[in-house]
């Protein structure tokens, strides 16, 4: 199983703002370097970028969940 991991601790968000759509959804194809989510740390929003291309199989955390460094947040399938 290939996953994308949190690079820092904070609050995980799937969208850039509450009224905006999610960056990506389950089943979407993503490219290496593509922004897929945000992690908020002390009122600073940091982009979570895909480390490789693939298809989003599932998000392993919910919008608004607290995450830790190295925690798996997205499971990827084949491109």
């Amino acid at each position: 199983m290939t996953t994308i991991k949190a690079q820092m601790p904070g609050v995980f968000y799937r969208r850039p703002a509450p009224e905006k759509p999610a960056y990506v959804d389950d089943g979407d194809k993503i490219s290496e370097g593509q922004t897929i989510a945000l992690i908020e740390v002390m009122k600073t929003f940091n982009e979570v970028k895909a480390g490789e291309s693939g298809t989003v199989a599932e998000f392993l955390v919910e919008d608004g969940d607290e995450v830790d460094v190295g925690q798996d947040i997205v499971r990827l399938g084949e491109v």
Side-chain angles (χ1 to χ4, degrees):
M1 171 174 81
T2 302
T3 61
I4 297 173
K5 299 179 183 306
Q7 299 299 312
M8 63 194 68
V11 180
F12 177 82
Y13 295 105
R14 291 184 56 187
R15 54 191 41 133
E19 70 281 355
K20 300 286 185 182
Y23 284 105
V24 294
D25 290 307
D26 292 354
D28 287 354
K29 293 187 186 302
I30 59 171
S31 303
E32 183 176 350
Q34 180 178 344
T35 300
I36 61 157
L38 298 173
I39 295 178
E40 177 198 2
V41 181
M42 298 177 63
K43 305 290 184 206
T44 300
F45 292 87
N46 302 280
E47 293 181 339
V48 177
K49 296 190 180 281
E52 61 185 82
S53 297
T55 300
V56 176
E58 70 176 315
F59 278 86
L60 303 172
V61 295
E62 297 295 324
D63 197 52
D65 282 356
E66 297 232 356
V67 295
D68 290 317
V69 173
Q71 180 177 345
D72 292 332
I73 54 176
V74 177
R75 185 170 61 85
L76 295 179
E78 297 297 318
V79 176

